[in-house]
Amino acid sequence: MIPQSFQYEAPATLAKALSLLQQYGDAKILSGGHSLIPMLKLRLATPEHIIDISGIKGLSYIKEQGGYLKIGALTKESDLEESRTIRTRYPILMDAAKMIADPSVRNLATIGGNLAHGDAANDHPAVMLALRAEIIATGPNGKRNIPVDEFFLGFFTTALQPDEILTEIHIPVKKAKTGGAYLKLERKVGDYATAGVAVQLTKDDQGHIAQIGIGLTNVSAAPMRASNAEAVLKGKSPTDELIAKAALAAARECDPNADLRGTVEYKRAMVKTLTERAVRLALKRAK
Amino acid sequence: MFCNTSKEISGLGHGMKRKEDARFLQGKGNYIDDIKLPGMLYMDIVRSPYAYAKIVNIDASKALAIPGVLAVITGRDLEKYKLHWMPTLMSDTQMVLPTDTVMYYAQEVCVVIATERYIAADGVAAVEVEYEPMKAVVDPFKALEKSAPVLRPDKGKTDNHIWHWEAGDRAATDKAFEKADVVVKEQMYIPRIHVASIETCGCVADFQPVGGQLTLYMTTQAPHAIRTVLALVAGHVGLSEERIRVISPDIGGGFGGKVPVYPGYVCAVAASVLIGKPVKWIEDRMENLQADSFARDYHITCELAATKEGRIQALRFKTIADHGYADAQAAPSKFPAGLFSICTGSYDFNTAFTEMDAVYTNKAPGGVAYRCSFRVTEAVHAIERMVDRLALEVGKDPAKLRMENFIKKDQFPYKSALGWEYDSGDYHTALKKAMDTIGYNKLRKEQAEKRKRGELMGIGISSFTEIVGAGPSRQFDILGIKMFDSAEIRVHPTGKAIARFGTKSQGQGHETTYAQIIAQELGIPAAHIEVEEGDTDTAPYGLGTYASRSTPVGGAAAAMAARKLRDKARKIAAYLLEVSEEDLEWEPGKFFVKGAPEKAKTIQEIVFAAYTNHPPGMEAGFEATHYYDPPNLTFPFGSYICVVDIDKETGEIKIRRFVAIDDCGNIINPMIVQGQVHGGLTQGLAPAMYEEFIYDDDGNLLNGSFMDYLVPTAVESPHWETGHTITPSPHHPIGAKGVGESPTVGAPPAIANAIVDALSHLGVTHMDIPITPQKVWKVLKEKGVVKAV
Amino acid sequence: MSTKKITVTVNGTSHSVEVEPRLLLVHFIRENLNLTGTHIGCDTSNCGACTVLLNGRSVKSCTVFAVQANGKNIKTIEGMAEGGALHPLQEGFKEEHGLQCGFCTPGMIMRCADLLERNPNPTEEEIRWGISGNLCRCTGYNNIVKAVQYAAKKMQEAEAVPA
């Protein structure tokens, strides 16, 4: 398990990183390395150039500003776990961070890398779908905001252009009566999800669900939103019956593959169960 | 617990802290990959992406063009030296490197030798092999069909059947089944798994062309046997046993997986001989899982016959054993099915019959005795599952049914229906202790209440009997070498000692426990006794450590060698004290004159005299060697109880409690025994709920890495609760039996029984391990408890 | 083959070395520095045998390039005992029999050092989740949990006593 040789650059600034990216064309971006390095070791990826952006200052932060929770792309999973803001106001992100791989991996793995990899098995994509986040990409012509619904295009494919770097994530700042949860079924701790469900919802004064986002992990080629499930609950009072109906909708709209983690039938059933449970937990947290 | 020495001496029964820990704790262990020799080259292996294919061409030109790549060795190259085939321990043969056909996924195809590890890897990536894939034979039942391609025509075979084995009385058993009130039957699969020690395998082969000596540093549990095997298979190219030195350094877990000779070892030796420089080969994890010997892989049809009250009468098991491409078991030569005939377990059977057929398929060859005394795990799983199955059938509590069928304490030594003589046991006491510890009756009440509410909770018991310590020379040999083991004790003039053994620790703590045995017998503090193993140039010949044989055989050898020295010490003491030997009494550490305890000589004084003032006519010095040939095997046992709660909607299984009561006879070091039990339990949990090799129809292994081969972490592993009873072995010098494998053997059926018990009211009678949430959910769906979307 | 010059402080000693960019940190530590206490168990960042501290945090050195450690501090098992005295974790593993074959032990100890740094008094549950990226095939984990609890207690006692 030895990677093929490559050229390595560790630019100190984003500008330099972007110019190297343009210069090399085929370069791979390395931040925490926990998606890329395994692929390099298996020689599934054999880039000629690697641009290590982990040394770029100012890309690691968690702050509420201008109506958004802004998270720098180089923010590590362990930073999320240890953040008071995340713990007290965005439990859905805390749920996810704690379930990603293991503590040592989380000490290096970054949220930007988790999203930019475009892997439906990663946990943050579903969470960002539930949170209706925006992904900020920086390229030679500056920044652009990509709504998360336009970010995941297909199997390991994102809207990032070859000359762009994912630099920031914008999440609408937590409103009153908002709660979220991420539940993940795994074969053993640290595994990729057999199925995962992220739910973020806001209640109105009548106790109806004013807004809801539901994202699904590892039950489709690209990370997916459970739109039908959302539609069942949006604007409604969340009765047991409606929650069950929404869960069933999510189970039907997902598109899992049979693999070592389970049959299609099992995964759909798990999406149903996890959706019900995540909605209930989110409602409980939406105080 | 037997304990009559001071803490300073630390003989039997003391929970002495381990002597070996200091180096491991500070990063100073010396494992195979830590060995670096001047001028050392690295070997890496090109492996087959197909389970069954013809090799059309191997083009190494691009690899050889890489600076630093020195050689690419193929089967054709080895053929020139007649080294392309090697024997297995079971009188079968397997390829070292193929000349024309690959027979299993990830099989070694050729090796690359380079100046650096990274360059060797580049070389492997650059070798171009052209294959012509063929339809692989994956399923052992299909392998036995007439239409199946014959995989081993080289063995003169006309089908894929390897051997038939049977034990017991077929006719009497059939008759008992005909007459029985109740017959229960289940088809079960004990899946193919892997030892997955955290250290993989590897070696450094160092051949000195001038003198013709080979030093082979190797991750081996049996260094002496390896040396002999090398001399036998490579004698024709000049390797002669006196010029071969095998050194087994610290081993990062063995569990049976480091007993066999793998092709990589032979290739590294061949490369070192050909090039004349040291060659290192270290597997990566995927190679280790995909190509090294597997364990288990038995398909067993199990039947029990009983009265309507549940009194067990007869047993009939029929097994198909999938050996992959070769019967490469590491088992005693006369036992093709290992000690599977322990399958009558802890129960008093009148009659039993078991038969087995072994089959070739296109999978990696094996199998090893993974933390198990040769197929005991499979046997115990089958009987313990079937006893629960019978209890369900006759409507009796499984604990009660066991109590009514156990071999009774006064029946020992007990001759089993399949021919073993169990040395000692007290099964009722062990099960009762386990039941009391866990609160069995209360749990049954709780379960009844939960069932009314639709909640799923199960309680599972396993009351296993092991058979370890191979073994008596009349029955047990490996390639003709009898399965004795040895100890050599040399006490220096100042009363400090070094003891050398033919066994080889892989974490069992021999440096501590062997020292304690000698301390017990000689009264020299265990802290003053160095234990050394693993170097064939210094240690006495022995068969190695596996099958829980270190304590039963090596430990016995230590006690016997020490007793020889104690006899000598008595003579010296008598001389020094000017009394007759009969007038002396021993207490650990000294001889004293009967009735005059102040007239005494300590062992240290006696040893010093052996070098400075030994009696006339006596040989000077203070050393002894003993080769111990055990009169019988030992039969450790225990009762385990597991409680599970099941999430109906996801099928997730939570082990709420697990109580393990073990009886391994006299205990040498209770701390180490408990540690062995903990570890074995997690290795029993693994196949019960997580681990299994999964192949596709083309014979590709789908989960050959730690990403998908699910070794339990501290989260899956529950908080184990342990205890013991003590029933000494009557024939072992210190009454010990061995414990390392009991938990691996005993835990899987306790867990499986608990899960099946949680579902039994739904009509579930059996589930194959590993029992995963997905399997549970599927059963719940079939029983109408949950619905598919 | 192009190389990069890196400067890394390992167990308090600074090393400036030319390395190939693809050189994995674990090989840099084991082969270039001859600190063989850090082991390799799986290559896929699942087993944790290669765990070291990078700027005080546990990382799996089989999935880090040496060049990524440029300018940083590394601590390996060889740097844990100070002034001849075992670290409380090393002592805990010995006293509570938290190791058998010893192969996972260095990585386990380095992981636990980070765990106790962030959570000086963890519950059994927290310890189990905290070491979930480190596989042990020998001990069944019971005694590793006890070893960490032993160290936590000892470290807190040391903290409580003013020097």
Side-chain angles (χ1 to χ4, degrees), chain B residues 500-523:
Chain B
R500 296 189 170 103
F501 291 83
T503 51
K504 174 64 202 172
S505 181
Q506 312 124 44
Q508 293 91 336
H510 290 177
E511 290 171 46
T512 307
T513 51
Y514 281 158
Q516 286 183 266
I517 293 172
I518 296 166
Q520 177 70 39
E521 298 295 335
L522 281 181

Side-chain angles (χ1 to χ4, degrees), chain B residues 446-462:
Chain B
E446 181 193 340
Q447 183 188 35
E449 284 159 20
K450 287 209 157 139
R451 276 194 181 163
K452 282 185 210 153
R453 297 200 297 268
E455 293 170 37
L456 300 176
M457 166 191 168
I459 306 154
I461 302 172
S462 160

